[in-house]
Amino acid sequence: MAQWIDLWNSDDWRAETAGWIDAACDAYGIVRTAEPEFWPTHLGSVGAAVQTDAAHLVFTANAPGLSAEPAVTVTAGQLVPDRVVMPLAIDRVAGYMLSPDFGHALGEVSDSVESWELAMASLAALQVSLMGQQDAFFDAGLTVVDPQFLPEQYEQALTLHVSMDANHPLHLPPARADKLHSRLDELRAACSALHAGPVPLSLEHGAFDLHKVITPAEVGQQGRIVHFGSAHWAHPFSSLARPLALMQEQWDCTVDDERVMRVLFAYLGQFSDYGTPDELFDLIGPACMIAPLAQHETWLRLLLEADDKDVAEHAEHVLETLYIG
């Protein structure tokens, strides 16, 4: 088990964390009224519900490789406070974040077509509002995944895994690497289309679904986007890869299903300054093709300080990100 999971599950760490929460609450003149209720730990993060005399709060701690999430969230909150959940306190080094509880995520309420439309429109509105802010997010620690450089980075990643010891869980056999490398021209074509297209880079969520959107308090409002641990500064349409896969699985259909198309057009409609949904539609395929490649870097950061058992357990997930869709 990763060393940080052992730490998160220890009584000493949880007592120290309660003290950090108390100090953050004291700055707002509120008092914690119960012990933090920790949820099960995951490789990437741990969270806890925090009861106070004023409101319900949520504490999260990120794994060492994902510790930029609090700073990224604060940066987005400073730029567009109504689009994200702005933390009350963070620790940039430790990856801690204490945030107000804005209620249930859409995924806890409904998985209808309407919920997907709201979720994707909310994400797109956030992405559009953050365009041009790359310097602020770079300073916050967000990694840049620019399509124009991705083919070279892909070749470097293949070389890295091929060069590893044959017994290493992350080793890529030469024959398997050659098969992946044979699709490099397809990757180059996809990246060229995105680079030449009208849509600028923005905050690409990396792990978007209905559980990453807080249900708005009133009809007609957009939801707040949460959980940026897997985010990158990249082509925004790459955020569609996971939702499209989930919708097709949920409804047992293909992308051209009427329900999926409704959701896609709700998303694309937010990018009206860059073209109509019909004009932008052809960029979805290339963006979804390259989406897993951005997560390769995320996995490597996450496993950098993990033990051998965790590396072995998650090695295939890392290698799967190298498959060009």
Side-chain angles (χ1 to χ4, degrees):
M1 183 174 293
Q3 58 184 357
W4 55 86
I5 293 182
D6 288 334
L7 178 66
W8 291 340
N9 286 326
S10 69
D11 291 338
D12 287 345
W13 182 84
R14 296 195 171 192
E16 291 175 4
T17 299
W20 183 88
I21 292 171
D22 288 342
C25 288
D26 185 60
Y28 292 91
I30 59 179
V31 177
R32 178 170 57 88
T33 58
E35 290 299 313
E37 183 180 342
F38 282 92
W39 302 311
T41 56
H42 300 282
L43 183 63
S45 66
V46 65
V50 179
Q51 308 297 328
T52 76
D53 60 358
H56 294 169
L57 305 178
V58 176
F59 168 83
T60 56
N62 290 86
L66 305 181
S67 59
E69 181 180 7
V72 169
T73 304
V74 166
T75 300
Q78 290 172 337
L79 295 167
V80 282
D82 59 334
R83 303 291 189 194
V84 300
V85 175
M86 184 67 168
L88 299 175
I90 68 169
D91 184 321
R92 290 175 181 248
V93 176
Y96 296 171
M97 183 163 56
L98 185 66
S99 308
D101 185 351
F102 271 79
H104 295 288
L106 276 176
E108 300 174 83
V109 178
S110 169
D111 59 359
S112 65
V113 178
E114 291 76 16
S115 289
W116 275 109
E117 287 180 293
L118 173 59
M120 298 310 301
S122 299
L123 174 63
L126 172 68
Q127 293 173 321
V128 170
S129 66
L130 294 177
M131 287 175 176
Q133 300 292 339
Q134 60 271 13
D135 289 345
F137 283 100
F138 181 79
D139 290 343
L142 193 66
T143 303
V144 178
V145 181
D146 192 326
Q148 66 176 318
F149 305 121
L150 197 53
E152 294 179 7
Q153 294 170 353
Y154 182 66
E155 288 189 285
Q156 292 169 1
L158 293 180
T159 300
L160 169 67
H161 289 283
V162 170
S163 66
M164 290 182 173
D165 186 275
N167 294 320
H168 195 284
L170 293 174
H171 171 71
L172 193 61
R176 190 175 174 187
D178 288 343
K179 186 175 181 180
L180 295 175
H181 192 272
S182 68
R183 301 194 63 185
L184 187 60
D185 286 343
E186 294 177 62
L187 175 61
R188 287 197 179 103
C191 290
S192 294
L194 296 172
H195 180 59
V199 180
L201 303 186
S202 185
L203 185 69
E204 194 277 294
H205 192 281
F208 194 74
D209 57 36
L210 292 177
H211 292 277
K212 308 304 189 301
V213 187
I214 303 300
T215 305
E218 298 180 11
V219 176
Q221 293 181 338
Q222 291 182 329
R224 295 173 184 263
I225 311 301
V226 295
H227 303 312
F228 297 108
S230 298
H232 296 84
W233 191 260
H235 198 285
F237 288 9
S238 289
S239 293
L240 288 166
R242 177 170 166 78
L244 281 174
L246 291 172
M247 286 186 285
Q248 290 178 82
E249 179 182 356
Q250 175 184 339
W251 298 324
D252 190 21
C253 66
T254 56
V255 173
D256 59 0
D257 184 274
E258 178 185 0
R259 294 163 294 185
V260 178
M261 295 300 291
R262 280 176 53 186
V263 174
L264 286 177
F265 274 63
Y267 177 83
L268 295 175
Q270 299 293 321
F271 293 86
S272 58
D273 287 348
Y274 306 97
T276 66
D278 286 328
E279 292 170 337
L280 298 175
F281 188 84
D282 287 344
L283 295 177
I284 293 176
C288 290
M289 174 187 288
I290 71 170
L293 305 184
Q295 296 310 313
H296 175 263
E297 179 267 343
T298 300
W299 272 110
L300 291 185
R301 281 190 287 116
L302 182 57
L303 294 178
L304 182 63
E305 299 183 37
D307 59 25
D308 293 343
K309 181 180 179 181
D310 280 302
V311 173
E313 180 180 349
H314 297 284
E316 193 56 36
H317 295 298
V318 179
L319 297 178
E320 284 175 356
T321 64
L322 297 174
Y323 282 80
I324 300 171

